[in-house]
Amino acid sequence: MEEVVMVRLDSGLLLNLRDSDNLSLNRALLTINYLYNAGAKVILVSNWLQSNASRLLSKEAFADHLSVLLKVKVVPANDASAIMQFKMKNVENADVLLLDNLTNDKEEVANSYEFSKTLSSGVSIFVNDAFSLSHRVLASTVGVARFCHASVAGFHFEEELLQLMKISETKKQPYVAIIGGSNFLKKANTLHILASTCDGLIFIGKLAFQIMNGLGLSVPAHLVEHDAVKEALELIKLTQRRKIPIYFQKDFLCVKVGKPELLEIYTYNEILAGWMPVDLGPVSMKETSSMLSTCKKVILIGSVSFGSLEEDNVRTSQLASVLERISKNGSEVILIGNAACKAFAGKSSYSNQYSVFRNASVAWEFLKGTKLPGVAALDKAFQYNLNWDTIFADPTKPIAVDIGSGNGLFILKVARKCTDLNFLGLEINRKLVQRCLDNLHQSELKNGYFISTNATSTFRSIVSSYPGDLVLVTIQCPNPDFNREDQRWRMVQRGLVEAIMDLLITNGKVFLQSDIETVTTRMKHLFITYGKGKLVVDGDARDWMENPFGVRTDWEQHVIERGAPMYRIILKKV
């Protein structure tokens, strides 16, 4: 039977065609054509507006547009019955099916459980190729992943993710960030991370005035974000502690409001009322050029303009010329966001000369350390390039993985008893993981470690890189609410079971435990169902077993003290 595959499209990429997006467009089309040519029943889902307009494009018109691009027949689905008929091959002259426009769907934005379930009904594999939405929690990017047997990235999504990860690399030094735009308060966390990793910061646009104000310089009050004064001071102190330079514009090319033909150069403290800065002045340009001349890596993120006048865009070529020159001299230059790319609009070759990442909102979230929901929902999320030699004293030892490690005390206790194994805890709660790592550091154990992650989606990519054998997986679910159907994540899913089975060695074991009998029974059923016929109950299959470790979790201890039972079972791979 053919697999039914749902592909989440990036409609902006397919409708707003630009020369610089040719490669991205080709990768997006390749995802669909690859699936179609492999014999899959492909269903497309997206949200879209009409190109260069604010009104909606009809579903029929969008389907025709996709048909031209894909060179296959894309047919719009009118209702749920059409979808089922397509899945059963009863729709004539249909190669690919397009679902309804999600633009005005409130259930899409709310990541509705029922809507996600309906949207993914009958779908085996979910392919997310809308990377520009990876920072948002939507039914069509996150919710549907709960109901599909596999959730993977499309070719465009994967390439964008790889490009995004390169942004945060610090191998090339000096590494400087040029930061433009406004809204200092919203960007404060990201700016602190950049100040902690870069060798220098250059502020342009309205953000420059925030830094000048923090340094005690006299600047026009209307150009200062007064709710972010504290954050600016903290950032300045961080750069001073790290002894890295922080540059800002000292003079500006200004335009007379309402008379764009009138231009003057003003220093930061001389800007008169009725005049608006639009670009760097000659002194600022010279200092910026000097600082960038020795850099090996430069990122430009945010608008270089002040965002109030159309004339801003044509006066950005000076900075573009500097970056063009250092790029030709071997520096890596990365442009982040459409606003940053506008600075290079007059440079015909910029898309080939620089690395371009247009999704600024995604980049801001990523750079401040946020787990992108659209990435975390996939079976193969971030490729964890872990240095196991620095994590464990002996990374060749067999490893035991505890999924949902909570406060980590179970691993800390059992690691002391079983020194012949390494223990890895995977926990989605970042605060708990930090507490675990602090406790681990105090314990001086060399055979335990914790990672903040959604194990359901990242287990394979993390554990497959470990050099030793996976001999034990423990899953302990103390909270019955975690397994309610309306919960956002369910820990044990088919994808996780299959990943565990692929990596677990023969005679390796899976330990399942809960204080709710139906929870343990459900986990056992899923492992037996998707265990590829290689799992058997270790011990008496008729009875629940005693704790085999001699170590209890906090929740287990609480349950025992109140006189309630625990339901445990061990499955062995044969």
Side-chain angles (χ1 to χ4, degrees), residues 212-249:
M212 287 185 275
N213 181 71
L215 291 170
L217 302 177
S218 177
V219 295
H222 70 280
L223 294 174
V224 176
E225 299 171 36
H226 296 282
D227 59 345
V229 172
K230 177 183 176 183
E231 287 72 15
L233 289 173
E234 290 175 349
L235 180 69
I236 293 170
K237 290 178 181 178
L238 175 57
T239 61
Q240 292 172 343
R241 288 196 300 271
R242 291 197 64 228
K243 298 180 179 180
I244 64 170
I246 181 168
Y247 280 75
F248 52 87
Q249 296 163 262

Short mmCIF file of all heavy atoms in Angstrom, two decimals, residues 212-249:
data_model
loop_
_atom_site.label_atom_id
_atom_site.label_comp_id
_atom_site.label_asym_id
_atom_site.label_seq_id
_atom_site.Cartn_x
_atom_site.Cartn_y
_atom_site.Cartn_z
N MET A 212 24.24 54.45 23.07
CA MET A 212 24.78 55.77 23.43
C MET A 212 24.13 56.29 24.70
O MET A 212 24.80 56.85 25.57
CB MET A 212 24.57 56.74 22.27
CG MET A 212 25.50 56.50 21.09
SD MET A 212 25.33 57.76 19.80
CE MET A 212 23.96 57.12 18.85
N ASN A 213 22.83 56.11 24.81
CA ASN A 213 22.13 56.56 26.02
C ASN A 213 22.64 55.80 27.24
O ASN A 213 22.82 56.39 28.31
CB ASN A 213 20.63 56.33 25.84
CG ASN A 213 19.82 56.80 27.04
OD1 ASN A 213 19.69 57.98 27.30
ND2 ASN A 213 19.28 55.84 27.79
N GLY A 214 22.90 54.49 27.08
CA GLY A 214 23.42 53.69 28.18
C GLY A 214 24.81 54.12 28.61
O GLY A 214 25.20 53.96 29.78
N LEU A 215 25.58 54.67 27.67
CA LEU A 215 26.93 55.15 27.98
C LEU A 215 26.92 56.57 28.53
O LEU A 215 27.98 57.15 28.81
CB LEU A 215 27.79 55.09 26.72
CG LEU A 215 28.15 53.68 26.22
CD1 LEU A 215 28.79 53.75 24.84
CD2 LEU A 215 29.06 52.98 27.22
N GLY A 216 25.72 57.13 28.67
CA GLY A 216 25.61 58.47 29.26
C GLY A 216 25.74 59.60 28.28
O GLY A 216 25.91 60.76 28.68
N LEU A 217 25.67 59.31 27.00
CA LEU A 217 25.78 60.35 25.99
C LEU A 217 24.43 61.02 25.75
O LEU A 217 23.38 60.40 25.93
CB LEU A 217 26.31 59.76 24.68
CG LEU A 217 27.67 59.06 24.77
CD1 LEU A 217 28.05 58.46 23.42
CD2 LEU A 217 28.75 60.02 25.25
N SER A 218 24.46 62.26 25.36
CA SER A 218 23.24 63.02 25.12
C SER A 218 22.72 62.75 23.71
O SER A 218 23.40 63.04 22.71
CB SER A 218 23.51 64.52 25.29
OG SER A 218 22.35 65.27 25.00
N VAL A 219 21.54 62.14 23.63
CA VAL A 219 20.93 61.82 22.33
C VAL A 219 19.47 62.26 22.35
O VAL A 219 18.87 62.44 23.42
CB VAL A 219 21.02 60.29 22.03
CG1 VAL A 219 22.46 59.87 21.87
CG2 VAL A 219 20.32 59.49 23.13
N PRO A 220 18.86 62.44 21.18
CA PRO A 220 17.43 62.83 21.14
C PRO A 220 16.56 61.83 21.89
O PRO A 220 16.65 60.62 21.65
CB PRO A 220 17.13 62.83 19.64
CG PRO A 220 18.46 63.08 18.98
CD PRO A 220 19.46 62.38 19.84
N ALA A 221 15.74 62.31 22.79
CA ALA A 221 14.93 61.45 23.64
C ALA A 221 13.98 60.57 22.84
O ALA A 221 13.70 59.43 23.24
CB ALA A 221 14.14 62.30 24.64
N HIS A 222 13.48 61.07 21.70
CA HIS A 222 12.49 60.30 20.95
C HIS A 222 13.11 59.10 20.23
O HIS A 222 12.40 58.26 19.70
CB HIS A 222 11.77 61.20 19.94
CG HIS A 222 12.63 61.66 18.81
ND1 HIS A 222 13.52 62.71 18.92
CD2 HIS A 222 12.75 61.21 17.53
CE1 HIS A 222 14.14 62.90 17.78
NE2 HIS A 222 13.70 62.00 16.91
N LEU A 223 14.44 59.02 20.22
CA LEU A 223 15.11 57.89 19.58
C LEU A 223 15.56 56.83 20.59
O LEU A 223 16.21 55.86 20.24
CB LEU A 223 16.32 58.38 18.78
CG LEU A 223 16.00 59.26 17.56
CD1 LEU A 223 17.27 59.79 16.94
CD2 LEU A 223 15.18 58.48 16.54
N VAL A 224 15.21 57.04 21.87
CA VAL A 224 15.60 56.12 22.94
C VAL A 224 14.39 55.32 23.40
O VAL A 224 13.30 55.87 23.58
CB VAL A 224 16.21 56.89 24.14
CG1 VAL A 224 16.51 55.92 25.29
CG2 VAL A 224 17.46 57.62 23.72
N GLU A 225 14.57 54.02 23.57
CA GLU A 225 13.53 53.15 24.13
C GLU A 225 13.70 53.16 25.65
O GLU A 225 14.55 52.46 26.20
CB GLU A 225 13.67 51.73 23.58
CG GLU A 225 13.51 51.63 22.07
CD GLU A 225 13.87 50.24 21.55
OE1 GLU A 225 13.58 49.26 22.25
OE2 GLU A 225 14.45 50.17 20.46
N HIS A 226 12.90 53.93 26.32
CA HIS A 226 13.09 54.17 27.75
C HIS A 226 12.74 52.95 28.61
O HIS A 226 13.15 52.90 29.78
CB HIS A 226 12.28 55.39 28.18
CG HIS A 226 12.72 56.66 27.53
ND1 HIS A 226 13.84 57.36 27.93
CD2 HIS A 226 12.21 57.34 26.46
CE1 HIS A 226 13.99 58.43 27.16
NE2 HIS A 226 13.02 58.44 26.25
N ASP A 227 12.02 51.98 28.05
CA ASP A 227 11.71 50.77 28.82
C ASP A 227 12.83 49.74 28.74
O ASP A 227 12.73 48.66 29.33
CB ASP A 227 10.40 50.15 28.34
CG ASP A 227 10.44 49.78 26.87
OD1 ASP A 227 11.36 50.25 26.16
OD2 ASP A 227 9.55 49.02 26.42
N ALA A 228 13.91 50.07 28.01
CA ALA A 228 15.00 49.10 27.86
C ALA A 228 16.34 49.65 28.34
O ALA A 228 17.39 49.12 27.99
CB ALA A 228 15.11 48.68 26.39
N VAL A 229 16.31 50.70 29.15
CA VAL A 229 17.54 51.32 29.65
C VAL A 229 18.34 50.33 30.49
O VAL A 229 19.56 50.20 30.36
CB VAL A 229 17.22 52.58 30.46
CG1 VAL A 229 18.48 53.12 31.14
CG2 VAL A 229 16.61 53.65 29.56
N LYS A 230 17.67 49.60 31.36
CA LYS A 230 18.33 48.63 32.22
C LYS A 230 19.03 47.56 31.40
O LYS A 230 20.18 47.19 31.68
CB LYS A 230 17.31 47.99 33.17
CG LYS A 230 17.89 46.90 34.06
CD LYS A 230 16.80 46.26 34.91
CE LYS A 230 17.37 45.10 35.73
NZ LYS A 230 16.29 44.42 36.51
N GLU A 231 18.33 47.04 30.39
CA GLU A 231 18.90 45.98 29.57
C GLU A 231 20.13 46.47 28.79
O GLU A 231 21.10 45.73 28.62
CB GLU A 231 17.84 45.44 28.59
CG GLU A 231 16.78 44.57 29.23
CD GLU A 231 15.79 45.34 30.08
OE1 GLU A 231 15.75 46.59 29.97
OE2 GLU A 231 15.06 44.70 30.87
N ALA A 232 20.07 47.71 28.33
CA ALA A 232 21.22 48.27 27.61
C ALA A 232 22.43 48.39 28.53
O ALA A 232 23.56 48.08 28.13
CB ALA A 232 20.85 49.62 27.02
N LEU A 233 22.21 48.83 29.75
CA LEU A 233 23.31 48.95 30.72
C LEU A 233 23.92 47.59 31.02
O LEU A 233 25.15 47.45 31.13
CB LEU A 233 22.80 49.60 32.00
CG LEU A 233 22.46 51.09 31.91
CD1 LEU A 233 21.80 51.56 33.22
CD2 LEU A 233 23.70 51.91 31.62
N GLU A 234 23.08 46.57 31.17
CA GLU A 234 23.59 45.22 31.44
C GLU A 234 24.43 44.70 30.28
O GLU A 234 25.46 44.05 30.48
CB GLU A 234 22.42 44.27 31.72
CG GLU A 234 21.71 44.54 33.04
CD GLU A 234 20.48 43.66 33.22
OE1 GLU A 234 20.07 43.01 32.23
OE2 GLU A 234 19.94 43.64 34.34
N LEU A 235 23.99 45.00 29.06
CA LEU A 235 24.76 44.57 27.89
C LEU A 235 26.11 45.27 27.84
O LEU A 235 27.14 44.64 27.56
CB LEU A 235 23.97 44.87 26.61
CG LEU A 235 24.65 44.46 25.31
CD1 LEU A 235 24.71 42.94 25.20
CD2 LEU A 235 23.93 45.04 24.11
N ILE A 236 26.13 46.56 28.11
CA ILE A 236 27.38 47.32 28.11
C ILE A 236 28.35 46.76 29.15
O ILE A 236 29.55 46.59 28.89
CB ILE A 236 27.10 48.81 28.35
CG1 ILE A 236 26.35 49.41 27.16
CG2 ILE A 236 28.40 49.57 28.61
CD1 ILE A 236 25.81 50.81 27.41
N LYS A 237 27.84 46.44 30.34
CA LYS A 237 28.68 45.87 31.40
C LYS A 237 29.26 44.52 30.98
O LYS A 237 30.42 44.21 31.29
CB LYS A 237 27.88 45.72 32.69
CG LYS A 237 27.52 47.05 33.35
CD LYS A 237 26.68 46.83 34.61
CE LYS A 237 26.30 48.16 35.25
NZ LYS A 237 25.43 47.97 36.45
N LEU A 238 28.46 43.73 30.26
CA LEU A 238 28.94 42.42 29.80
C LEU A 238 30.10 42.58 28.81
O LEU A 238 31.11 41.87 28.90
CB LEU A 238 27.79 41.65 29.14
CG LEU A 238 28.16 40.30 28.50
CD1 LEU A 238 28.81 39.37 29.51
CD2 LEU A 238 26.92 39.65 27.89
N THR A 239 29.97 43.53 27.88
CA THR A 239 31.05 43.75 26.92
C THR A 239 32.30 44.27 27.63
O THR A 239 33.43 43.94 27.22
CB THR A 239 30.63 44.74 25.82
OG1 THR A 239 30.30 46.01 26.41
CG2 THR A 239 29.42 44.21 25.06
N GLN A 240 32.12 45.05 28.67
CA GLN A 240 33.27 45.56 29.42
C GLN A 240 33.96 44.44 30.18
O GLN A 240 35.19 44.40 30.25
CB GLN A 240 32.81 46.67 30.37
CG GLN A 240 32.37 47.94 29.65
CD GLN A 240 31.74 48.96 30.57
OE1 GLN A 240 31.34 48.64 31.70
NE2 GLN A 240 31.62 50.21 30.10
N ARG A 241 33.17 43.51 30.75
CA ARG A 241 33.78 42.38 31.47
C ARG A 241 34.56 41.49 30.51
O ARG A 241 35.62 40.97 30.85
CB ARG A 241 32.70 41.57 32.18
CG ARG A 241 32.11 42.23 33.40
CD ARG A 241 31.36 41.23 34.27
NE ARG A 241 30.27 40.59 33.56
CZ ARG A 241 29.03 41.06 33.51
NH1 ARG A 241 28.74 42.21 34.13
NH2 ARG A 241 28.08 40.41 32.86
N ARG A 242 34.02 41.30 29.31
CA ARG A 242 34.69 40.46 28.32
C ARG A 242 35.77 41.22 27.57
O ARG A 242 36.54 40.63 26.81
CB ARG A 242 33.68 39.90 27.31
CG ARG A 242 32.73 38.87 27.87
CD ARG A 242 32.09 38.09 26.73
NE ARG A 242 33.10 37.33 26.00
CZ ARG A 242 33.20 37.31 24.67
NH1 ARG A 242 32.36 38.03 23.93
NH2 ARG A 242 34.12 36.59 24.07
N LYS A 243 35.82 42.53 27.76
CA LYS A 243 36.81 43.38 27.11
C LYS A 243 36.73 43.29 25.59
O LYS A 243 37.74 43.17 24.89
CB LYS A 243 38.21 43.02 27.59
CG LYS A 243 38.42 43.24 29.09
CD LYS A 243 39.83 42.87 29.52
CE LYS A 243 40.01 43.11 31.02
NZ LYS A 243 41.38 42.76 31.49
N ILE A 244 35.49 43.34 25.09
CA ILE A 244 35.29 43.35 23.64
C ILE A 244 34.75 44.72 23.25
O ILE A 244 34.04 45.36 24.03
CB ILE A 244 34.31 42.25 23.18
CG1 ILE A 244 32.91 42.47 23.76
CG2 ILE A 244 34.83 40.87 23.54
CD1 ILE A 244 31.85 41.55 23.16
N PRO A 245 35.08 45.20 22.06
CA PRO A 245 34.61 46.53 21.65
C PRO A 245 33.12 46.54 21.33
O PRO A 245 32.57 45.55 20.85
CB PRO A 245 35.44 46.82 20.40
CG PRO A 245 35.78 45.47 19.85
CD PRO A 245 35.96 44.59 21.06
N ILE A 246 32.50 47.64 21.61
CA ILE A 246 31.10 47.84 21.24
C ILE A 246 31.04 49.19 20.52
O ILE A 246 31.30 50.24 21.10
CB ILE A 246 30.19 47.80 22.49
CG1 ILE A 246 28.72 48.00 22.08
CG2 ILE A 246 30.60 48.79 23.54
CD1 ILE A 246 27.75 47.68 23.22
N TYR A 247 30.74 49.14 19.22
CA TYR A 247 30.76 50.33 18.38
C TYR A 247 29.34 50.82 18.11
O TYR A 247 28.40 50.03 18.07
CB TYR A 247 31.45 50.04 17.04
CG TYR A 247 32.97 50.05 17.13
CD1 TYR A 247 33.66 49.00 17.70
CD2 TYR A 247 33.69 51.13 16.63
CE1 TYR A 247 35.05 49.00 17.79
CE2 TYR A 247 35.08 51.15 16.70
CZ TYR A 247 35.75 50.08 17.28
OH TYR A 247 37.12 50.09 17.36
N PHE A 248 29.23 52.11 17.89
CA PHE A 248 27.94 52.71 17.53
C PHE A 248 28.23 53.89 16.61
O PHE A 248 29.36 54.40 16.52
CB PHE A 248 27.16 53.16 18.76
CG PHE A 248 27.96 54.03 19.68
CD1 PHE A 248 28.02 55.41 19.49
CD2 PHE A 248 28.67 53.48 20.75
CE1 PHE A 248 28.77 56.22 20.33
CE2 PHE A 248 29.42 54.30 21.59
CZ PHE A 248 29.47 55.66 21.39
N GLN A 249 27.21 54.34 15.92
CA GLN A 249 27.35 55.45 14.99
C GLN A 249 27.56 56.77 15.74
O GLN A 249 26.80 57.09 16.65
CB GLN A 249 26.10 55.56 14.11
CG GLN A 249 25.88 54.37 13.20
CD GLN A 249 24.47 54.32 12.68
OE1 GLN A 249 23.63 53.62 13.21
NE2 GLN A 249 24.19 55.07 11.62
#
